[in-house]
Amino acid sequence: MKKFGTKQVMPLLIIAVCALFIQNGMSKFGFWNASKGPTAAFVPTIVCVMLIALCVVDFMKSFKDTKPVKYYKPEFIMMITGVVLIAAIHFIGMLPALAIFVVVWLKLMEKAPWKHIILILAIVMAIVIGVFVLWLKVRFPEGILFEMLL
């Protein structure tokens, strides 16, 4: 049997996070409201169930792969970016974190000029605010800082 390592730990970690999201969403919102239709947990629950299924398959296949794991710098950058983005959402809220993420990513990673960054940021924020906030009435996390100000 192959040694237990990151090829096995990552799918198990993702399964645990998805299970937590499913449990949290179902306990707070439910899956389907008989009179109103799908709840806020509907799509995240479906995505998490599919992700759990893929992670179970990946976990089972990981024992058959004998090649050593190679890590590359872009993978670490993505992991660190994910952790920083989740922390930023928790502290400053989803919309400010999204705006900062777009600006920082385009400037540092893509080396885009400021003119393009401002244009792309305006388009992204117009879509997010117009479609999700105003039209679909999605409630984004507000963050600790915003809650302290109110």
Side-chain angles (χ1 to χ4, degrees), residues 4-77:
F4 199 81
T6 54
K7 285 185 179 183
Q8 291 79 29
V9 170
M10 289 309 294
L12 293 176
L13 184 65
I14 294 170
I15 288 170
V17 170
C18 285
L20 181 68
F21 270 83
I22 291 171
Q23 188 277 329
N24 192 21
M26 292 303 209
S27 64
K28 286 186 180 179
F29 303 106
F31 186 71
W32 191 276
N33 187 325
S35 61
K36 296 180 183 176
T39 66
F42 180 74
V43 173
T45 301
I46 291 172
V47 170
C48 284
V49 167
M50 292 188 307
L51 192 54
I52 287 173
L54 289 172
C55 285
V56 167
V57 171
D58 189 41
F59 178 75
M60 297 301 183
K61 288 176 67 177
S62 68
F63 290 105
K64 295 178 183 173
D65 192 8
T66 58
K67 295 179 190 173
V69 179
K70 288 185 179 180
Y71 297 104
Y72 301 99
K73 183 180 175 183
E75 294 169 345
F76 287 112
I77 291 173

Side-chain angles (χ1 to χ4, degrees), residues 10 13 17 75-92 97 101 105:
M10 289 309 294
L13 184 65
V17 170
E75 294 169 345
F76 287 112
I77 291 173
M78 288 306 299
M79 287 187 270
I80 292 168
T81 301
V83 169
V84 169
L85 190 57
I86 290 169
I89 290 168
H90 181 70
F91 288 112
I92 64 173
F101 172 76
W105 187 268

